[in-house]
Amino acid sequence: MRVAGKGLVDRSDTVTFSFDGRSYDGFAGDTVASALLANDVRLMGRSFKYHRPRGVLTAGSEEPNALVTVGRGAASEPNVRATVQEIYDGLQVRSQNAWPSLDFDIMAVNNLVSPFLGAGFYYKTFMWPRKFWERVYEPVIRRAAGLGGLSGAHNPDSYERAFAFCDVLVIGAGPAGLMAALTAARGGADVILADEDALMGGRLNAETYEINGKLGHVWVAEVVDELAEMDNVRLMSRTTVTGAYDHGTFGALERVGHHHGRRDEGAPLECFWRIVAKHSILTGGALERPIAFQNNDRPGIMTAAAVRAYLNRWGVSPGKALTIFGNNDDAHRTALDLAEAGVRIAAVIDSRTDVDIKGDYPVYRGAQVFNTSGGKALESVSIRTINGVEKIQTDCLAMSGGWNPTVHLTCHMNGRPTWRPDIQAFVPSEGAIPGMVAAGACNGTFSTHGCLAEGAQVAGKVLGMLGKKQPDLPLPQAEDAPYRMAPLWAIAGKGRAWLDFQNDVSVKDIKQAAVENFRSVEHMKRYTTQGMATDQGKNSNVGALAVLADATGRGIPETGTTTFRPPYSPVSIAAMGAGAQGKGFAPERFTTSHSASVEAGAPMIEAGLWYRPSYFPKPGEKTWRQSCDREVGYVRKAVGICDVSTLGKIDIQGPDAAALLDFVYTNMFSTLKVGRVRYGLMLREDGTVMDDGTCARLGETHFVMTTTTAAAGAVMKHLEFVAQCLHPEWRVAMTSVTEQWAQFAVAGPKSRDLLNGVLDTPIDNDSWPFMACGDMSVLGVKGRLFRISFSGEHAYEIAVPARYGESLFRELVSRAQGVGGGAYGMEALNVLRIEKGFITHSEIHGRTTAFDVGMAGMISAKKDCIGKVMAGRPGLVAADRERLVGMKPVGAVKLLSAGAHIFAKDAEAVRENDEGYVTSVCFSPEVGTYIGLGFVKNGPERYGEVMRVVDHLRELEVEVEICPPVFFDPEGGRARG
Amino acid sequence: MRLDCPMCGSRDRREFYYQGDAVMLARPAVDAGEAAWDSYLHLRDNPAGQTRELWQHEAGCGAWLVVTRDTVTHAVSAVELASDVKRAMA
Ligand SMILES: [Zn+2]
């Protein structure tokens, strides 16, 4: 119910939303949790395992119970904390993990059979029969125990990622954080202040503390206003710093669009930030811990801090008659605030005997709550005092077991927090995150004065390290009450006393783990699932640790802590992967002829990130093979045009360019004449073939290397490695020019005639013989011409600056069409090279050597080169290695498939008899059948032998004759002609 | 993670390519023998502590770098140009 005169919500702005189909009103500034509590709705979820009815436990992002699904259809978002989700008009909220309804959940039967579902239940029960696991147990368990589900549809929301840099990142905008940010900012540092809440101020918005005689939230607003005016400050609200990483890098999730319903304005739903900070100040506050006692999970039981937050920030009382149960002074503020607001207090129970409590309500000292009753809402609590047992009628219990500093981020780089016996809690260890200092409640300093003073002090220290002066900033006046508490973790008694509300782990489960010798925290955690839910045990880890310590007869610090890992609170994969979905995951690289190819109807295929035309269909052609055969015919009989720009082009210049090439290629390049091209083979240092291609010498100290499309990046990196790491004394520089040049193959008997129609100076066989290269001018544009051939035909590659690529391609294709030729695609290119036995990465696939591909002779004896020593290892030059051969079908079946394995003619087709495999196949119009390339043991020694080729995947069996890998024009006369 | 490229300054880890141990700088002579080559190519120390490794500022200036890093704390104590390191070895 709402409490008159309380809260920071805007009562003039009514907001209507729905929960499980029913409409409710709240006010601007409400969360789903505060608005539902204002409407006396307390049942908000069902627990994960036992489907017990649950309400809110907290008022923040640590909430373990009130997880809901927001939105509908494809845009729905599961597992949203009702305590974090701000309401807006039209917001649709649904409960989850309950069927058919939250009110009547069939799976609550789990709760009745719970004696059989305790710790280690899965491990013990579903061991046998093994087959049942996948088919029966797992699907049933997954349906029964689960959180919200995804829609299964494509996520229509957009997400962003961004970088930010600063001198000082302040994490958390409570009193310590605001004071630290103000001090650092006034001192002239670049400051980012991030807070997960929509409203900065932390607990100051949830308490009735005064600062400088004003209510805390008024002081907060003044400081935030001042910071917002400063150019050196960036305020990031609704932004959770989720992880601390190496060298001052932080991950942070900004919830950009979750608080309004506008999805169609292009704004992202979330933004994932990477913040790089020279220094960081952790002012993350503290989280109040619950107390474990029987049935401490009924809707209406929550932390005392949550009750004060609902009252003071949202003007809501979570009940009509409240009971407070605690072990520390702080808990009594709850009673004071409630009493002042006119809410009825049923009882105040303090576990300590030596405290002085005054109030106009029943007070029990040295007493404990040991059980509760009620179904879907709390009805009464049972307490034990020195006088006996008593039942108190109450609909809301505020409990406080003390405070845990929010040390999580300080553990992200493997740091372990330090136990402080005086506050019975862990605090950050100094230096756990390089460059980070902690201040305020997260450092174990709980009074408002202490927080303000420590925030100012650490900011001053950071300013000093930045070489800046601490500004003269008076410390505001605030309360400085001591934090007095006596440890109280679990109340002795029967039944289940809950620790981890989200994973349904009870005190009994922890004790059971200890009995079964899972005494290490990490073992206990995995055995019971304690702390393994999405709240990462924020509310329960320390309590569970205390129970385990007690059960194993050790102290808490000796028992240890579990490791907190990023993220601090859940981050959607969509946000972390923002920009990397779909085309963002695999960007497209287009050649200059792309649109011309698409216009011609060519299906485009991927080659790495590039797109290349597969073939250019003509009307009347029914299969790709018909188009391909026709295009092969262009090149063999007339002239074909193919865009080869995707091949890597590396410009290499310098007096030692030739020395570099001699060292990276197996063969000689220093002897290459200017104006000539040579084929080169490149090895890895282990002797395996890395890549092949041609390299042209354009000048005495100027070469242009081509690489295969696939290896362009790797070769560039390799060249830089050799030049910088092995021979820095060489004067040579290289740069990739792949994108700068558009390059087209002009191949076929009519290629020179075609070129002479566009070249400004005609060429002939003397001026431009086979393997010649140089500058030329085409239709007035300066470019380069290389007489090289990947088809075995008289052929050229012509290169122009990329901006002329498209028009040159269109011109060349049009002229080729005029003489019985045209454009050809990847399919035809592949046929042309297989017919000639030219290798690609199908053959040089990372396991083959120069010896294997028949090029051992290309390793020059006159010089050292990368890979030379290791290529000479006996095992890499053994005759019985699988070596390159050609093959033709000779039996009844005429089809070949790449990937098939090769066996002796009469051998059984099993692994032990494997003698090789097929790497490339095509139908050869020239040969008239399918032909293939592959590797066979003793390769060239078996020419003429008939072997058995079996493709076990495609269930294809073919008899082939092993033959030399060159099927067409073995003398090479056509390319020279 | 961030690295201080001697050419470009402090940059995000995503701009760098990781190669491996900086022993790659010490390429054996052709006649150094099988053991030396085996060691150069395949045998690596796996220290819990300081290690020297090769990175390339691939999405930046292209420089190959020798990074001295502690494998336990991830603290980077030095970033040098590999070409300078190699020259000093000669
Ligand atoms: Zn750089």
Side-chain angles (χ1 to χ4, degrees), chain A residues 67-409:
Chain A
L67 303 190
V68 294
T69 298
V70 168
R72 66 191 302 185
S76 69
E77 181 110 3
N79 307 330
V80 173
R81 285 146 188 73
T83 49
V84 170
Q85 176 65 49
E86 297 163 61
I87 60 168
Y88 54 81
D89 273 318
L91 172 72
Q92 297 189 358
V93 182
R94 281 172 294 139
S95 59
Q96 54 190 37
N97 203 30
W99 187 86
S101 74
L102 187 59
D103 215 37
F104 178 74
D105 177 10
I106 282 180
M107 290 314 295
V109 69
N110 279 7
N111 194 33
L112 303 176
V113 296
S114 64
F116 308 104
L117 297 175
F121 156 74
Y122 298 132
Y123 305 121
K124 290 170 186 165
T125 312
F126 298 118
M127 298 296 290
W128 185 92
R130 215 169 141 182
K131 268 191 188 160
F132 268 45
W133 182 248
E134 206 176 300
R135 299 243 176 99
V136 183
Y137 299 143
E138 192 178 330
V140 169
I141 291 169
R142 286 211 183 278
R143 209 172 311 136
L147 299 172
L150 291 166
S151 69
H154 179 76
N155 186 351
D157 287 312
S158 63
Y159 298 79
E160 267 183 7
R161 52 183 165 181
F163 281 87
F165 300 84
C166 61
D167 291 332
V168 189
L169 170 65
V170 181
I171 304 163
L178 286 169
M179 202 61 204
L182 189 63
T183 307
R186 289 237 196 125
D190 274 329
V191 176
I192 291 179
L193 174 61
D195 194 281
E196 61 178 356
D197 207 323
L199 200 60
M200 291 200 166
R203 287 300 301 175
L204 290 177
N205 294 322
E207 306 284 6
T208 47
Y209 293 131
E210 288 184 352
I211 296 182
N212 283 346
K214 291 173 272 200
L215 271 173
H217 72 88
V218 177
W219 179 81
V220 168
E222 287 171 8
V223 174
V224 170
D225 282 350
E226 179 180 344
L227 291 170
E229 287 298 310
M230 297 173 82
D231 289 340
N232 55 333
V233 177
R234 183 201 287 256
L235 296 175
M236 299 178 75
S237 58
R238 298 191 179 93
T239 304
T240 310
V241 175
T242 57
Y245 304 90
D246 288 319
H247 313 136
T249 306
F250 295 84
L253 182 74
E254 181 183 2
R255 298 186 312 284
V256 183
H258 283 293
H259 59 290
H260 57 68
R262 303 185 300 277
R263 285 291 182 277
D264 51 355
E265 292 167 18
L269 189 62
E270 296 174 350
C271 179
F272 190 74
W273 288 88
R274 288 183 181 87
I275 301 174
V276 180
K278 291 186 185 131
H279 298 272
S280 56
I281 298 175
L282 179 64
T283 44
L287 297 173
E288 195 169 31
R289 53 199 183 210
I291 300 165
F293 51 86
Q294 193 177 352
N295 292 314
N296 62 338
D297 64 333
R298 297 198 193 285
I301 304 178
M302 59 192 79
T303 64
V307 170
R308 293 202 299 282
Y310 288 118
L311 178 70
N312 294 324
R313 175 163 171 188
W314 288 289
V316 171
S317 172
K320 292 182 177 66
L322 282 86
T323 305
I324 293 102
F325 173 36
N327 67 340
N328 62 78
D329 291 1
D330 193 56
H332 295 282
R333 296 195 55 84
T334 320
L336 297 175
D337 286 357
L338 287 166
E340 198 181 290
V343 181
R344 190 163 85 78
I345 295 166
V348 171
I349 301 140
D350 197 310
S351 62
R352 300 168 298 173
T353 47
D354 56 343
V355 284
D356 179 29
I357 314 165
K358 288 185 193 75
D360 195 12
Y361 32 75
V363 174
Y364 299 83
R365 269 182 292 263
Q368 294 175 339
V369 174
F370 69 92
N371 199 356
T372 71
S373 63
K376 287 159 198 156
L378 179 69
E379 285 164 11
S380 69
V381 300
S382 300
I383 68 168
R384 192 184 290 123
T385 69
I386 37 168
N387 303 322
V389 165
E390 210 172 305
K391 206 170 209 180
I392 298 169
Q393 298 299 313
T394 184
D395 59 351
C396 177
L397 175 65
M399 58 181 165
S400 175
W403 291 83
N404 287 330
T406 306
V407 300
H408 305 69
L409 284 173

Side-chain angles (χ1 to χ4, degrees), chain A residues 246-247 274 685 717 724, chain B residues 2 14 27 58 64 74:
Chain A
D246 288 319
H247 313 136
R274 288 183 181 87
E685 195 68 280
K717 199 191 306 286
Q724 295 179 39
Chain B
R2 300 185 62 85
R14 282 164 189 76
R27 187 174 185 265
E58 189 183 22
W64 278 87
H74 289 187

Side-chain angles (χ1 to χ4, degrees), chain B residues 4-9 11 15-16 56-63 65 81:
Chain B
D4 271 309
C5 174
M7 301 292 206
C8 312
R11 317 294 295 189
E15 295 183 10
F16 298 86
Q56 191 199 9
H57 195 188
E58 189 183 22
C61 63
L65 309 168
L81 288 177

Side-chain angles (χ1 to χ4, degrees), chain A residues 697-888:
Chain A
R697 189 166 203 169
L698 297 176
E700 201 54 45
T701 60
H702 186 192
F703 293 81
V704 173
M705 171 189 284
T706 64
T707 75
T708 58
T709 300
V715 170
M716 183 69 198
K717 199 191 306 286
H718 178 62
L719 296 184
E720 289 284 14
F721 172 80
V722 170
Q724 295 179 39
C725 298
L726 299 181
H727 288 286
E729 75 280 9
W730 282 344
R731 286 174 299 160
V732 58
M734 63 222 71
T735 189
S736 166
V737 292
T738 305
E739 274 88 355
Q740 280 68 23
W741 292 90
Q743 193 155 318
F744 306 106
V746 180
K750 296 182 181 172
S751 57
R752 184 160 53 211
D753 292 345
L754 185 149
L755 281 175
N756 277 336
V758 292
L759 292 176
D760 296 336
T761 309
I763 56 168
D764 58 28
N765 208 42
D766 294 332
S767 67
W768 226 281
F770 183 54
M771 298 305 255
C773 70
D775 293 340
M776 56 80 211
S777 173
V778 53
L779 301 169
V781 172
K782 293 221 178 307
R784 290 168 183 167
L785 188 65
F786 309 86
R787 184 161 169 196
I788 52 178
S789 174
F790 197 49
S791 57
E793 296 299 328
H794 177 184
Y796 302 82
E797 286 185 13
I798 184 167
V800 290
R803 62 187 178 279
Y804 300 110
E806 179 172 1
S807 47
L808 180 61
F809 179 78
R810 289 181 189 273
E811 182 65 26
L812 292 173
V813 170
S814 144
R815 285 175 183 252
Q817 284 165 345
V819 294
Y824 66 102
M826 290 304 99
E827 295 296 347
L829 181 121
N830 199 38
V831 172
L832 293 161
R833 71 97 190 168
I834 294 174
E835 286 182 337
K836 284 294 292 175
F838 291 145
I839 55 176
T840 64
H841 279 290
S842 296
E843 284 72 38
I844 46 175
H845 51 49
R847 291 186 295 134
T848 51
T849 64
F851 175 80
D852 297 339
V853 295
M855 295 187 187
M858 278 187 68
I859 305 180
S860 168
K862 294 180 192 144
K863 62 175 181 83
D864 185 18
C865 73
I866 295 281
K868 182 174 176 175
V869 171
M870 296 313 257
R873 284 180 283 178
L876 296 192
V877 291
D880 65 348
R881 281 182 66 84
E882 291 167 344
R883 294 154 69 190
L884 183 68
V885 295
M887 68 198 74
K888 291 182 252 196

